[in-house]
Each structure stands twice: as structure tokens, then as C-alpha cells.
Amino acid sequence: MKTFGGPVLFLDRSDINTDEIILENYLKELPKQELKTHLFEELKIEGFNPKADVVGTKVIITRENFGCGAAREHAASALEVNGIFTVVAPTYAKPFRQDMFACNLMGIEIDRKSLADMFKTFASKDTECKIVINDDGTAKVKLIAGSLSKSYPFQLDDAEKALLANDNWLGFAESKF
């Protein structure tokens, strides 16, 4: 099963679209695994270098409307082949979030107040993330930077819990039929 947690990359921008996640011209030419080196190639954020900053990242924390633009599951696949299995944002483009769950990636929706605190407290630090999903249905994003640690609650619906528990749609279907 995939691990939902690890080193965090903060992307301080709203409306990061699918073309900025992976350019359309790579989608027909390259097999899935070769998307890896092209993740965020066209993303423009001051101080961000996709070749250096993405390496080792397991969790992205970003602003509103992540994955907007053209609907294409290759954008979620590009995250997956880079080992980025978790994105934390207040909102997502609906087709992109569905593609994330189809790839067994966790798209965590967090409230804006918690997100603002995450950026204020952790964005300038080397930060690790742990996703905690308890048996009672409660869930939280726990961020750790040195001796500093904070937790932020979030909700998963029943379908998302089932997908995660079964490691993907195929596992979910096999568990039901």
C-alpha cells in the first residue's frame, strides 16, 4: 500500500492547472513512467525549481483550485510516478480530484484557516507530513519541522475511505464482488 506522508513541497499559488502539472504534448508521446521528469516543467512560482524542488517530495501543500484546466488523468499519473501520493489544498477541480483517487492518490481538502496556518508556520522549513486516519473516522494532517509539530483535522467521505482501505478502485471492486 502507498504511504500517504513524507517530505512536503509548498506551492504557494492558486489555480495550478493540469498543463502546469504536465504539458499536453507529453501525453501522447511518452509512457506513464517517462512523465516523471516533466512534472511541473511549466509551473511558474518565484523561487521554484521543478528539477531540484520536486525530488524526494511525497506531499504537496498548495492553494485553491488545484488541477483546474483541461481534464486529463495524466496529471495525476505524473504525480504518482514521482511518488507524490498526497496533495493538501482547500479546493480541487472536480475531474482532477476524481483522477487522483483513480490513481489511489489522496486529495485532502483542508479549510482555508488551517491552510493559512500551515503556510505561515511551516512553508519556510524542512517539513514532514503524516496523515493519520483513525478507526473512528477522524483524520488529520500532522506537520513536523524539527521540534515543532501541529495537526489539522480533515474529512474523508465513505467512498474515499473505501478506496484508500482497498488500495485503489480495483481492490475496492474485488472487495465488493
Side-chain angles (χ1 to χ4, degrees), residues 10-173:
F10 287 87
L11 296 176
D12 194 5
R13 206 188 93 199
S14 297
D15 302 315
I16 295 174
N17 67 57
T18 53
D19 280 329
E20 292 171 309
I21 296 170
I22 191 75
L23 280 172
E24 180 181 17
N25 59 324
Y26 295 127
L27 306 184
K28 295 177 183 145
E29 302 170 8
L30 299 177
K32 182 177 173 179
Q33 195 60 35
E34 291 183 30
L35 297 174
K36 185 174 185 170
T37 59
H38 301 290
L39 181 68
F40 295 127
E41 240 177 26
E42 292 296 309
L43 181 60
K44 305 296 185 225
I45 298 175
E46 187 176 331
F48 175 67
N49 177 348
K51 297 293 183 205
D53 295 343
V54 170
V55 175
T57 295
K58 300 295 178 198
V59 177
I60 292 173
I61 298 177
T62 190
R63 302 288 183 178
E64 290 86 2
N65 203 25
F66 188 74
C68 60
R72 58 174 69 106
E73 68 183 61
H74 288 79
S77 295
L79 294 171
E80 179 186 24
V81 298
N82 275 279
I84 300 170
F85 301 130
T86 309
V87 178
V88 179
T91 60
Y92 295 83
K94 187 174 181 175
F96 178 78
R97 190 158 188 260
Q98 290 170 337
D99 289 341
M100 287 184 67
F101 278 97
C103 289
N104 200 32
L105 307 180
M106 184 178 279
I108 295 172
E109 290 184 334
I110 198 91
D111 66 87
R112 285 175 179 81
K113 182 178 177 186
S114 293
L115 184 77
D117 189 70
M118 289 176 176
F119 271 93
K120 178 182 172 190
T121 307
F122 293 98
S124 62
K125 299 172 176 62
D126 286 335
T127 303
E128 289 282 323
C129 177
K130 292 185 180 183
I131 305 301
V132 180
I133 302 171
N134 299 310
D135 291 339
D136 68 359
T138 60
K140 64 184 174 181
V141 174
K142 182 176 183 178
L143 298 181
I144 306 151
S147 62
L148 179 62
S149 152
K150 280 187 161 184
S151 294
Y152 305 88
F154 70 95
Q155 300 293 318
L156 287 174
D157 67 28
D158 290 339
E160 293 164 345
K161 289 177 195 172
L163 288 175
L164 294 171
N166 291 287
D167 203 30
N168 63 26
W169 283 103
L170 183 59
F172 176 72

